[in-house]
Amino acid sequence: MSTLTRTVTGRRDRPATKPGAKRRSLSISVLAAAVLALVASACGNGLEQRVASGEEAYVANMASQADPGTTVATLNLQSKKAGAPVKLGADPAALALAKDSTRLLVANYGADTVSIVNTATNTAFATVKVGLEPDALAVDPAGDLALVADFGDGMVTPINLSDSKALPPIRVGNPQSSEPDAIAISANGNLALVADFGDGMVTPIELSGLKTLPPIRVPGGPRSIAVSSNGPSGPVAYVASGTSLYPINLEDLSVGNPIPVGQVAEAVAIQSRSSTAFVADEAGLVTPVNLRDGKAGTPIAVGGRPFAIVITSFKQGPVSKGP
């Protein structure tokens, strides 16, 4: 039986040892890919406080095929120093935070699982089996549901976060070519958008019934999606594809004019209550983009080949202290 091989820039190769699995190829043999989650945290040692104020980061590092990464590093953004890593499954490839940043979800690409981490203690309390090669996930605004993009089998796996159980998977795209690699959920929790690199499409999913809507064609191979409630005419999703961001109006699902970002965009995140997007690219840069005028700012060098970024909201008011 032949195995489909597709080259995906910024992804690392893993042999397709399971039936139906696909392989990712890289132009380099070793990839240190940073998947960055900025959080708000806190206990007596200051972790919870940093998470609650947006001063803690988590970085998942995928290494070489011979030496796969198994940890998520922690980074104190106040002191600019790394903390003790969190040991999880093989090849952690994507991160997402539940509503109040108390839970971190980690997609383990090499283990076909999702780990759920308590950010107050930086320990995993649940491991959920999902589809082949999960490499993206998103959590709804209520914190009740997570959606996981299973790159290797063209599916999306929902997870009920009340009991940490997987629900029946959802097919997106063509079974022979679909490679879902990014998910975003609208602020009202009604709609999810799934970027399908293999098919060059974005597939909407109605969350009320977990049903797909007709896919949307996006040029360049979509890699990442971020949602803003502050679009020119309402909520907008911005899709990182090729060297541009493509806006999708969430009211009528129409595609607007692309916004150039320079390098090949791997990921995008939008600052809460802001018109600024941050785009991670294959050149090891994170570039701020003003979504109002469509202009890119000065790139920030982060090294490696970052391909995911999330930013949490700043929580106002007092933060309760742990014992």
Side-chain angles (χ1 to χ4, degrees), residues 4 6 8 22 151 153-155 171-181 194-203 215-223 241:
L4 175 65
R6 184 176 300 275
V8 183
K22 301 170 185 174
F151 181 91
D153 57 14
M155 307 288 276
R171 165 67 63 191
V172 292
N174 186 323
Q176 299 303 314
S177 58
S178 176
E179 293 174 336
D181 62 352
V194 182
D196 185 342
F197 181 88
D199 285 342
M201 298 282 193
V202 171
T203 299
I216 303 163
R217 173 71 63 183
V218 177
R223 299 168 183 260
S241 188

Side-chain angles (χ1 to χ4, degrees), residues 186-267:
S186 63
N188 61 14
N190 293 338
L191 189 72
L193 294 175
V194 182
D196 185 342
F197 181 88
D199 285 342
M201 298 282 193
V202 171
T203 299
I205 299 176
E206 287 185 335
L207 295 188
S208 58
L210 294 177
K211 301 295 185 183
T212 60
L213 299 176
I216 303 163
R217 173 71 63 183
V218 177
R223 299 168 183 260
S224 179
I225 305 176
V227 173
S228 172
S229 299
N230 302 317
S233 58
V236 176
Y238 290 89
V239 181
S241 188
T243 59
S244 298
L245 291 181
Y246 289 84
I248 296 178
N249 187 315
L250 295 184
E251 299 293 336
D252 59 13
L253 299 180
S254 61
V255 181
N257 294 326
I259 301 171
V261 295
Q263 302 289 335
V264 174
E266 292 284 356

Side-chain angles (χ1 to χ4, degrees), residues 40-41 51-54 99-102 273 313-319:
S41 122
V51 169
S53 60
K99 159 174 149 174
D100 55 3
S101 296
T102 61
R273 296 181 297 277
S313 302
F314 178 80
K315 294 199 300 184
Q316 303 293 334
V319 177

Side-chain angles (χ1 to χ4, degrees), residues 32 38 40 42 48-49 77 84 88 117 125 134 164 171 182 190 202 214 218 244 255 263 268 286 289-290 314 316 319:
L38 300 181
E48 220 175 10
Q49 181 66 44
L77 299 183
L88 300 169
V117 175
F125 64 87
S164 301
R171 165 67 63 191
N190 293 338
V202 171
V218 177
S244 298
V255 181
Q263 302 289 335
V268 57
V286 173
V289 178
N290 186 324
F314 178 80
Q316 303 293 334
V319 177

